Amino acid sequence: MKMSQNTSDKDDQSPSNKKNISLPISRVRLIMKSSPDVSSINQDALFLTTKATELFVQHLAVSSFNNGSGKETNSLSYSDLANTAEETETFHFLTDILPKKILARDYLKSLEQMQEEEADY
Amino acid sequence: MDGDSSTTDASQLGITGEYGHYVLQSQDDDADESLNDHEDGGVKENYREQDIYLPIANVARIMKNAVPQTGKIAKDAKECVQECVSEFISFITSEASERCHQEKRKTINGEDILFAMSTLGFDMYVEPLKLYLQKFREAMKGEKGIPGVAVGESLGDELTDDSFTNPLPAGIITADGQSQNVMVYTTSYQQIPTVQQIQFS
């Protein structure tokens, strides 16, 4: 599959393919700037962050796919990601934004059970 | 909700004990929310301040290239990675920024970023990144006449140390000449055994 170099981004960088980036740098910069106490970012830092982000996406996708049910179902689901975040130390920082999902009715059921257990004291 | 995302609910049954990090999944989880310029947070209950995301099309494309050719990716997985990406960027940036401040500098440079990655458990990215940076700089040199990348930051703070001029270790595959991203993890970073070498055809 061909990787289009920034052609689909409105944040168009130089038309050159040599830089080999597939994410919009200016958007990355926006996100970086939203961190507190960040005054300025030099070009190398920006490039490295953008590139690292690509690696990160690949890394997370592959780890989750292999780690979870992906190998059998040949698909990547949200819960694969959530499980990987919990089980892989590198991705621990994601556990807050990757909570495991639970259906409301299951939660309420378990809550009832918990309350019943407490009532036994 | 898309029919193929039903795996997320069934798989969570039987979880006992703590209920610290659960979010309630509504039956018709709106999967269409976080597209490109989503400004008011995700559908999850723990609202995040980082509501700026990278375009989902780009993120999804990278994911698609990473998993086996025939693999499928759930829509909520794509959106989720989109958010993880913003989290990752902020994670790295605040660590780099801290180091920068400690050294009484105002501009975050490349070394700060690489150091942050090393510190935060991503040191397996460092070597490939140095190579990419080399290529990037070569590419930039070739465009000296043009105002350059529309970043808006000054080109000061050139990296002076020699750490970016390492010769290519044997076995590293560069992405030059190809239009796909090739990611190689050097074997000296044995942290994630399942992710040794990734090649994309």
Side-chain angles (χ1 to χ4, degrees):
Chain A
M1 184 181 177
K2 296 243 182 280
M3 210 55 123
S4 64
Q5 304 292 329
N6 298 320
T7 48
S8 56
D9 300 331
K10 41 185 199 266
D11 308 310
D12 207 71
Q13 311 306 318
S14 161
S16 163
N17 278 356
K18 288 180 273 182
K19 299 199 202 71
N20 203 19
I21 304 170
S22 56
L23 293 170
I25 289 192
S26 54
R27 189 74 70 87
V28 173
R29 180 169 168 269
L30 253 178
I31 300 172
M32 291 177 85
K33 285 271 204 174
S34 72
S35 264
D37 297 330
V38 170
S39 43
S40 56
I41 307 160
N42 93 343
Q43 201 181 37
D44 282 349
L46 195 50
F47 171 78
L48 286 172
T49 305
T50 306
K51 207 64 200 155
T53 303
E54 286 179 24
L55 297 183
F56 173 76
V57 172
Q58 293 166 335
H59 186 184
L60 180 59
V62 171
S63 292
S64 304
F65 188 88
N66 292 337
N67 190 22
S69 55
K71 278 214 157 129
E72 289 133 55
T73 63
N74 204 33
S75 68
L76 179 60
S77 68
Y78 173 89
S79 57
D80 292 331
L81 294 164
N83 289 331
T84 298
E86 201 168 286
E87 292 161 23
T88 310
E89 196 168 323
T90 311
F91 297 125
H92 270 350
F93 74 101
L94 293 170
T95 46
D96 276 349
I97 63 168
L98 287 178
K100 292 192 178 182
K101 289 186 186 174
I102 185 172
L103 281 181
R105 62 164 181 267
D106 297 329
Y107 176 75
L108 291 172
K109 205 194 298 175
S110 312
L111 199 57
E112 275 172 19
Q113 284 172 2
M114 249 169 55
Q115 287 167 348
E116 279 167 23
E117 284 163 24
E118 282 170 17
D120 287 342
Y121 285 130
Chain B
M1 182 137 199
D2 294 339
D4 60 351
S5 302
S6 57
T7 49
T8 49
D9 38 9
S11 60
Q12 301 315 317
L13 289 174
I15 297 164
T16 57
E18 40 183 349
Y19 295 93
H21 288 288
Y22 290 107
V23 72
L24 298 182
Q25 175 186 4
S26 57
Q27 287 304 113
D28 52 348
D29 212 48
D30 191 341
D32 284 333
E33 274 210 36
S34 48
L35 295 179
N36 291 344
D37 286 316
H38 189 74
E39 287 297 329
D40 55 4
V43 291
K44 299 189 177 56
E45 286 184 2
N46 44 345
Y47 177 81
R48 307 294 300 175
E49 280 175 320
Q50 292 93 339
D51 48 8
I52 311 170
Y53 302 125
L54 294 180
I56 196 167
N58 302 58
V59 172
R61 194 189 309 133
I62 300 174
M63 288 175 76
K64 212 163 186 295
N65 284 346
V67 300
Q69 197 79 325
T70 53
K72 298 188 204 72
I73 304 172
K75 193 163 189 180
D76 59 352
K78 292 180 195 171
E79 291 167 358
C80 160
V81 170
Q82 198 186 17
E83 292 172 31
C84 291
V85 158
S86 294
E87 189 75 14
F88 171 76
I89 294 173
S90 300
F91 194 42
I92 299 289
T93 303
S94 52
E95 183 71 25
S97 173
E98 206 179 291
R99 180 173 190 241
C100 206
H101 282 304
Q102 275 172 12
E103 301 190 356
K104 307 265 198 285
R105 283 181 285 111
K106 288 202 185 138
T107 306
I108 299 178
N109 63 24
E111 195 180 312
D112 295 324
I113 297 292
L114 290 176
F115 185 81
M117 290 203 201
S118 231
T119 307
L120 297 173
F122 294 100
D123 55 308
M124 73 288 269
Y125 297 176
V126 170
E127 289 305 322
L129 284 175
K130 288 183 188 176
L131 295 173
Y132 281 125
L133 182 64
Q134 244 180 335
K135 302 211 167 302
F136 174 70
R137 285 161 139 189
E138 282 160 25
M140 289 307 292
K141 270 189 212 152
E143 291 165 15
K144 232 185 279 183
I146 301 162
V149 181
V151 172
E153 305 294 349
S154 66
L155 285 176
D157 289 51
E158 270 286 79
L159 294 161
T160 51
D161 59 350
D162 290 328
S163 55
F164 298 142
T165 55
N166 285 343
L168 267 133
I172 293 283
I173 302 168
T174 65
D176 230 20
Q178 300 176 16
S179 50
Q180 287 92 4
N181 274 335
V182 175
M183 179 176 65
V184 177
Y185 290 125
T186 60
T187 53
S188 52
Y189 303 113
Q190 292 271 350
Q191 288 191 353
I192 315 278
T194 53
V195 190
Q196 283 290 332
Q197 231 179 30
I198 317 267
Q199 296 176 1
F200 302 101
S201 53

